[in-house]
Structure formats: structure tokens, C-alpha cells
Amino acid sequence: MTAPFDVHVFEEKQPFKDFKEYVNVVDEDYTINKAIEFDVYKEPKHQMQNYFDVQFYDYDPVMKLSDYNEILKLKNMDTIELSNDEYFLVTSKDLLYKVENNKDIEKIQLTSGKELKLKGIDTKTYWYQINNTGRFAVIVPDEYVQGLEVSEQHLIIDTIEETDTKLREKIKQDLKHRLVIVNDDGETVVQYYRLSVRGSAIEEQNTMTAMIASICLYIAFILISAVGTVLAIQSLSDSTKYKYRYQTLKRLGVNDKSLFKTIRKQLLILFGVPVIYSILASFFMLVSVNNVYKIYLESEYSYLIYFVVGLAIFFFIYGIYWIATYIGFKRNINEES
């Protein structure tokens, strides 16, 4: 969503400049597989924008079919076909509800007077910087962009090697004159948001994920340890306090195998009851969180993987406490009073 391509940059201030400088900087350290340039046009009738809150932009961002298909090929995705009376809509998952099953957009009329009918809506090929509106793009046959004003020019670079943060910093340094501008009021405006490097985005996301996961695991470890310690102390205290009961059972002829089996059952119940509540609470909490964030995930069931992994870590730590308690319990009742 944030950086689907190795390098992506766009220009939005007219008159537009070419992208040769960006290509040359990347080419110094990387092998360029393919570079694609495409334009985003303004459709002033903004029929689609009406459903995405027109207060921000008074036009519909439009892309040529050929440019859109070039992007799909680069991502190894199936291209689309449009007849001369069809259009295609690309939007994000979280905004799909604004246009899905909306009969008012089944047909739109361009400024040229041409009427187009909706062929389909796709969310898989949407990314945040497909255009600067950040919400949707209308795909039309190439001939229908003639006469429309260009609002943005985009460059996509696909490299053979994996990119990293160093490339982003190099582009920011070497092309500072392109990414830091002076506005009409004479103020310096930093526009690094117009540049995205896939490797840098991955490193940032991995770092953030590792930080959050480490904090959560640390808190979880403390809480599990606290519960395990309390239960272990309680159990070992009981084993010492009521040791004579187990010795009495031995004198009555109960063998160690049966006795230890009873102890295991006792400890499983003692340690197991708190687990039932925690698993149920964790699952329903995770489902609730997933209902909010599933639109950003590859699958709405991805949270189940995290739930299972979390349980595995939990039972591993919890199991150590149970085993240690069981061993200590046996040792206590085997000691002579």
C-alpha cells in the first residue's frame, strides 16, 4: 500500500520536469529493470469525487488504460480490457463502501460528452500514491484523456536488486532541489512525501513491528510470569502443608504412579482454569481489533496466525512453570516429615 514499487516519485507542480535525474541517481547503484512514466489527468465534472468528499478536490483523477495495464504487468497481474463505452474504478478497501453497489455511478459522462458505463471496481491494485488525492482513480480508454489537463506526472522504477533506506537518503540528498521547493510566499516546503522507496518502507515497518511486538511480548512475559509464580507458590505451599495426607495415602497402599497422576490432574485444573478465561478474552479482543484493521491486511483471517503464535509462546512459558511446580510438588511429598 505505501510502497508497492522499488522507487516511485511524482511531480505535481507545473511546468512539469522530466524524471531523468531520478533515473540517473538510481542507475548509479542499481540495475534498472524497467522505468514507467504515466500521467494523471483532471476530469473537471468530478462525478466520482462527489462520493469521496469533494471539498478536497474538485476533479476526478483519471488514468489512461495503457498506463494502468503497464503497471499491472510490472506487478505480474492480469491486465484489463475496456470497450470504448466503459470505464474502470480503482479505490482502497476502506473506501469501497462509498461506491460499491452505487447505481448512480453505473454511468458517468465525461467533459467531452462521452458516456461510459462502469465495468468493475478493484482494490487490489490500489496504493496510497497512485495519485495525490490518495483515494481513487478512474481508468478510461486512452483517447478520452485528450484535452484534459495533466494534474500529476509519475515515475515508477523497477530494479533487479532489492532497494534499501540508503537509496532513499541518496535521492533526498542528490535531488534536494527537486524535492524541496520554495512556494509563492517564499517559504521553503519539504516534499519528501513525493518519493517512496520500497526497501526503506519495509525497513521502517519491520522496525516498528519489532518494537511493538517486543513491548507486547515483554508485558505478556511479565504477566504470565506473575500468574505462574503465584500458582506455583500456592501449589508448593499446599504440598508442604498437606504432605501428611499424601504420605497417609501411600501407607494405605496407593502407589506412586496413581498418586502422581492425581497430582498432575490437580495441577492441570489449578493452572488450566485461568487459561480458559485468558484465551477467550484474547480471542475476542483480537477479533474486535481485526474488524478495524482487516481492510489493511492481505487477508481478513491473518489475525488467526498471530493468535496461534501467541498461544504457542504463552503455553511454552506457562508449561515451564507447570513442569517446575510438578517436580517441586513431587519432591515435597516424597520428603520424610
Side-chain angles (χ1 to χ4, degrees), residues 53 129 131 188 195 212 269 273 319 322 325:
D53 200 345
Q129 292 181 332
N131 57 66
T188 300
L195 169 69
I212 295 175
I269 294 173
V273 171
W322 184 88
T325 303

Side-chain angles (χ1 to χ4, degrees), residues 182-195:
V182 178
N183 62 19
D184 297 335
D185 297 327
E187 299 174 337
T188 300
V189 181
V190 178
Q191 295 185 339
Y192 292 143
Y193 67 87
R194 294 193 288 109
L195 169 69

